[in-house]
Amino acid sequence: MIAPRVLIPRDEIKKTVLRLAREIRRDLSGTNPLFICILKGSVVFAADLVRAVNMPLELDFLCLSSYGCGTETSGRVKMRLGIRQSLVGRHVVVLEDIVDTGLTVNYLMAYLKRKRPAGLRLCALLDKPSRRRVPVDIDYLGLTVPDRFIVGYGIDWNQNYRYLPDICYIEDEGNG
Ligand code: IMP
């Protein structure tokens, strides 16, 4: 691996988060929505987004994992921490860092739908559509990224690089 290179600088991340916040506020103000942050990669994004939305809302966390220690998804999604509160009648917004193959979000949205929320929307900071294996509807999309391994702004490679303030990419030496 080589040192991460900047793909999306912090100013652009900030503008994107503000735009997403405006869209969510326009659609959901007055509904006391429940934002569900997917651990761990979405924590930094969620922390910025809830403050940018700046209206009454609740925040909960859910932990899934499909990656081992590499850069390829294992294809099997595991629930490590589920939602314990009732979602009946709630407007739910799922906050996801990256939609890649779509397997994680697909599994997650089906799990949450069974809890009968009044509304269920997906807000993804990044989308890597070139790698999609199952279709995914993203209600609020930040930015589309190329097929690179992304790190920074909360997103990790093998638990590293989450602290980087910009969205970066890493690649194997020899792949350029
Ligand atoms: P999917 O199930 O393939 O769509 O993957 C979704 C999850 O895999 C995301 O929530 C991330 O946690 C992780 N992921 C996907 N692409 C990347 C990447 O480029 N860097 C780091 N994590 C990624």
Side-chain angles (χ1 to χ4, degrees), residues 81-126:
L81 172 70
I83 293 289
R84 273 175 247 128
Q85 64 179 293
S86 168
L87 299 187
V88 176
R90 299 300 305 268
H91 288 272
V92 172
V93 182
V94 173
L95 306 182
E96 176 65 311
D97 53 356
I98 308 184
V99 180
D100 187 17
T101 62
L103 292 169
T104 303
V105 151
N106 202 49
Y107 170 91
L108 177 65
M109 297 309 257
Y111 163 81
L112 293 173
K113 212 171 182 174
R114 288 197 295 275
K115 295 183 175 288
R116 293 180 288 127
L120 181 58
R121 294 164 200 243
L122 174 64
C123 174
L125 177 62
L126 302 175

Side-chain angles (χ1 to χ4, degrees), residues 2-176:
I2 57 166
R5 297 185 189 170
V6 175
L7 181 66
I8 304 165
R10 60 201 81 178
D11 293 358
E12 202 179 330
I13 300 173
K14 195 170 181 182
K15 278 189 217 147
T16 303
V17 169
L18 288 172
R19 171 177 56 76
L20 292 172
R22 274 197 305 274
E23 292 174 13
I24 293 172
R25 212 172 29 235
R26 176 198 65 203
D27 294 347
L28 292 176
S29 79
T31 68
N32 190 32
L34 176 67
F35 284 32
I36 298 181
C37 168
I38 310 306
L39 296 171
K40 304 174 189 168
S42 305
V43 163
V44 176
F45 171 46
D48 283 346
L49 187 72
V50 293
R51 287 176 294 173
V53 170
N54 192 20
M55 68 178 191
L57 59 83
E58 290 174 27
L59 183 58
D60 206 342
F61 299 88
L62 203 152
C63 189
L64 296 171
S65 67
S66 58
Y67 278 57
C69 293
T71 57
E72 283 295 317
T73 178
S74 67
R76 279 191 315 273
V77 183
K78 286 191 202 127
M79 177 80 61
R80 296 193 183 275
L81 172 70
I83 293 289
R84 273 175 247 128
Q85 64 179 293
S86 168
L87 299 187
V88 176
R90 299 300 305 268
H91 288 272
V92 172
V93 182
V94 173
L95 306 182
E96 176 65 311
D97 53 356
I98 308 184
V99 180
D100 187 17
T101 62
L103 292 169
T104 303
V105 151
N106 202 49
Y107 170 91
L108 177 65
M109 297 309 257
Y111 163 81
L112 293 173
K113 212 171 182 174
R114 288 197 295 275
K115 295 183 175 288
R116 293 180 288 127
L120 181 58
R121 294 164 200 243
L122 174 64
C123 174
L125 177 62
L126 302 175
D127 185 20
K128 243 195 251 179
S130 55
R131 303 211 344 134
R132 197 72 93 247
R133 285 204 238 157
V134 289
V136 172
D137 286 330
I138 303 176
D139 300 284
Y140 306 104
L141 170 62
L143 298 162
T144 299
V145 291
D147 184 10
R148 304 260 197 192
F149 198 80
I150 305 295
V151 294
Y153 195 65
I155 301 167
D156 76 308
W157 171 72
N158 204 10
Q159 302 304 322
N160 294 307
Y161 304 119
R162 292 193 200 273
Y163 60 89
L164 293 171
D166 304 300
I167 292 173
C168 302
Y169 67 93
I170 51 176
E171 50 195 358
D172 288 324
E173 284 172 12
N175 286 350

